[in-house]
Amino acid sequence: KGKERFEFDLILNNPPYQRLLTGYIEDLRKVGIKLNIRLMEWGTSLKIRDEHKYDAFVVAYTRDVNPGSFGKMWASDQADLKGSDNLIGYRNKEADKLCAEIDQTYDKKNRIKLVYALDEIIAADQPWTFFWEMPYFRVAYWNKYSFPKGMEYQNYSLWRNSFDFWWYDAEK
């Protein structure tokens, strides 16, 4: 609406991502939004991100099987710290309370309830726009190892978690 065009820059430090963003750029164009890709070196992009001198940037995140340190990513006291995991400078007092409680709660059922409550706040504020998640897990496989039941690969886990829980199975 109006005569001003909505336009923003996206910081990108990984050239192959340009190909992945083509559809997104086209969808934005269809609704009158112009996205400009600013391709730059990784170190430069980190400096710009740490100084919060950007409109948007691409980042890939994963979480451990049993995630922790929610405060590092979402707490207000991390918002202005250069190099912190709170990359966007997110601030929300209710999220701060939940982060502190989550990081101190070890009962899994209670922790899940708290994480869902935090997710609701973050989803409502939408400090991030999520693009996609790969529907598969890349791994080399040699069937001589075993995992505890329920500890096989899970979505939202780091690839290295699979190495935390395996053992050599002589029967295989």
Side-chain angles (χ1 to χ4, degrees), residues 151-166:
M151 293 307 293
E152 302 86 359
Y153 170 73
Q154 301 170 9
N155 287 341
Y156 311 109
S157 67
L158 296 173
W159 64 269
R160 67 179 173 263
N161 288 135
S162 57
F163 300 107
D164 291 339
F165 303 108
W166 65 271

Side-chain angles (χ1 to χ4, degrees), residues 41-54:
E41 294 294 321
W42 181 74
T44 304
S45 72
L46 290 181
K47 183 178 186 300
I48 287 171
R49 190 183 70 200
D50 282 350
E51 294 171 354
H52 298 280
K53 293 181 179 177
Y54 59 84

Side-chain angles (χ1 to χ4, degrees), residues 63-81:
R63 297 292 278 177
D64 289 322
V65 172
N66 294 303
S69 303
F70 282 83
K72 287 177 133 183
M73 188 168 190
W74 299 111
S76 300
D77 65 357
Q78 301 291 307
D80 294 323
L81 296 177

Side-chain angles (χ1 to χ4, degrees), residues 74-171:
W74 299 111
S76 300
D77 65 357
Q78 301 291 307
D80 294 323
L81 296 177
K82 286 186 178 184
S84 86
D85 286 340
N86 187 342
L87 303 175
I88 53 165
Y90 181 71
R91 290 177 173 81
N92 181 303
K93 289 181 182 183
E94 189 61 31
D96 292 343
K97 291 176 193 171
L98 285 167
C99 286
E101 197 171 350
I102 290 166
D103 288 345
Q104 296 172 13
T105 300
Y106 295 97
D107 177 76
K108 193 166 187 167
K109 286 183 182 179
N110 287 338
R111 191 176 171 91
I112 288 170
K113 288 178 189 175
L114 294 168
V115 171
Y116 283 163
L118 178 62
D119 283 351
E120 285 182 22
I121 291 169
I122 293 167
D125 287 349
Q126 198 191 358
W128 295 61
T129 298
F130 299 97
F131 281 126
W132 76 89
E133 176 183 338
M134 290 186 289
Y136 55 84
F137 181 59
R138 293 181 215 147
V139 65
Y141 181 72
W142 188 3
N143 192 19
K144 67 177 189 174
Y145 303 102
S146 291
F147 297 86
K149 188 167 180 65
M151 293 307 293
E152 302 86 359
Y153 170 73
Q154 301 170 9
N155 287 341
Y156 311 109
S157 67
L158 296 173
W159 64 269
R160 67 179 173 263
N161 288 135
S162 57
F163 300 107
D164 291 339
F165 303 108
W166 65 271
W167 68 86
Y168 173 72
D169 191 337
E171 292 179 18

